[in-house]
């Protein structure tokens, strides 16, 4: 125990200066080098905060625990606290430094944050899904420029969540689309049985409806999860290929 205690660098709570909006932090912090060279932990403020109730992204000095910036989305309230989930980070210019963060909140907004000093650029809603996003988004480069941000809605935080049978969706949203692109292409999942060397395995086959990325057309896609109440919680989005 003494050896472990000696390795702890720092600790913050919602009583620490600048961290009044820190809530129940289920999300995973991400270690990154920011555009100015600072090594930082990028952390969502979590849920049920007793400060402003807003969703907030924290940038914390990885060595000292000092608050670099608290980027407040301005979305939330004391009566019905919002909260930011795990962020995913992006390096837009290939210099090895993370300049953009994407994260969902408990109110169903997918946010984009600039990680460039002096951290005054406001957070921007990339998509309002209407249902809680508690997973870290998956990111990939769009073939026409910008980023495809993928995520699935869902939460499992209260007893009411366990009995909720509403439909949830997986999304892919193009950050970089022309402003006239507003439609979401509908995809579907169809259950099938895959027979290999052993017993059959239940699988799902996704439709392959091609998106139209021309101006005035698609902003991304969405896929309904077929079973009522089915959802995705926690982190682990995986994107491969194109």
């Amino acid at each position: 125990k003494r050896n472990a205690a000696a390795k702890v660098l720092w600790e913050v709570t919602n009583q620490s200066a600048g961290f009044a909006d820190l809530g129940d932090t289920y999300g995973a912090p991400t270690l990154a080098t920011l555009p100015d060279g600072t090594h930082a932990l990028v952390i969502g403020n979590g849920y049920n905060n007793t400060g402003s109730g807003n969703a907030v992204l924290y940038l914390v000095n990885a060595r000292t625990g000092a608050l670099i910036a608290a980027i407040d989305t301005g979305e939330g309230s004391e009566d019905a606290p919002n909260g930011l989930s795990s962020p995913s980070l992006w390096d837009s210019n290939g210099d090895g430094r993370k300049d953009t963060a994407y994260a969902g909140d408990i109110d169903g907004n997918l946010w984009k944050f600039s990680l460039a000093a002096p951290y005054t650029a406001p957070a921007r809603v990339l998509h309002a899904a209407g249902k809680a996003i508690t997973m870290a988004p998956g990111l990939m480069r769009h073939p026409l420029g910008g980023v495809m941000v993928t995520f699935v809605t869902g939460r499992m935080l209260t007893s009411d969540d366990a009995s909720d049978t509403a439909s949830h969706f997986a999304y892919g949203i193009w950050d970089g689309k022309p402003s006239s692109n507003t439609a979401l292409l509908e995809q579907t999942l169809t259950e099938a049985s895959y027979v290999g060397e052993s017993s059959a395995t239940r699988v799902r086959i996704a439709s392959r409806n091609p998106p139209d990325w021309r101006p005035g057309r698609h902003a991304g896609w969405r896929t309904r999860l077929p079973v009522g109440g089915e959802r995705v919680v926690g982190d682990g989005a995986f994107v491969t290929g194109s």
Side-chain angles (χ1 to χ4, degrees), residues 82-100:
N82 193 359
L84 202 69
S85 305
S86 299
S88 294
L89 309 186
W90 187 254
D91 172 11
S92 63
N93 58 8
D95 66 355
R97 300 181 178 190
K98 304 297 186 181
D99 48 55
T100 308

Side-chain angles (χ1 to χ4, degrees), residues 56-57 71 73 84 99-103 111-115 123-124:
V56 179
L57 184 74
I71 306 176
T73 65
L84 202 69
D99 48 55
T100 308
Y102 298 90
W111 293 93
K112 178 182 180 180
F113 302 85
S114 170
L115 302 182
R124 179 169 70 88

Side-chain angles (χ1 to χ4, degrees), residues 10-31:
W10 47 266
E11 180 181 14
V12 296
T13 72
N14 60 359
Q15 302 301 310
S16 304
F19 289 91
D21 291 321
L22 191 65
D24 300 325
T25 50
Y26 294 91
T30 302
L31 181 64

Side-chain angles (χ1 to χ4, degrees), residues 127-142:
H127 185 74
K131 292 187 180 298
I133 305 165
T134 56
M135 65 177 294
L139 307 175
M140 65 175 291
R141 195 171 301 280
H142 192 283

Side-chain angles (χ1 to χ4, degrees), residues 44-213:
N45 70 320
Y47 315 129
N48 299 321
N49 81 77
T50 57
S52 67
N54 290 350
V56 179
L57 184 74
Y58 288 122
L59 310 183
V60 185
N61 186 293
R63 296 186 181 278
T64 67
L67 180 65
I68 298 170
I71 306 176
D72 192 334
T73 65
E75 290 291 328
S77 68
E78 294 181 10
D79 295 333
N82 193 359
L84 202 69
S85 305
S86 299
S88 294
L89 309 186
W90 187 254
D91 172 11
S92 63
N93 58 8
D95 66 355
R97 300 181 178 190
K98 304 297 186 181
D99 48 55
T100 308
Y102 298 90
D105 68 22
I106 204 71
D107 285 352
N109 301 301
L110 193 285
W111 293 93
K112 178 182 180 180
F113 302 85
S114 170
L115 302 182
Y119 315 108
T120 54
R124 179 169 70 88
V125 175
L126 193 63
H127 185 74
K131 292 187 180 298
I133 305 165
T134 56
M135 65 177 294
L139 307 175
M140 65 175 291
R141 195 171 301 280
H142 192 283
L144 298 182
V147 186
M148 281 298 293
V149 184
T150 59
F151 60 95
V152 192
T153 61
R155 54 176 275 174
M156 186 62 74
L157 301 173
T158 69
S159 56
D160 288 341
D161 293 336
S163 59
D164 183 8
T165 60
S167 292
H168 288 269
F169 289 82
Y171 292 88
I173 303 298
W174 181 15
D175 178 25
K177 68 179 180 65
S179 59
S180 59
N181 289 44
T182 58
L184 292 181
L185 175 66
E186 296 285 347
Q187 302 283 8
T188 59
L189 291 173
T190 303
E191 185 156 337
S193 181
Y194 173 76
V195 181
E197 294 183 0
S198 59
S199 59
T201 302
R202 291 175 63 191
V203 298
R204 283 170 172 169
I205 300 172
S207 60
R208 298 175 63 85
N209 302 323
D212 184 346
W213 300 124

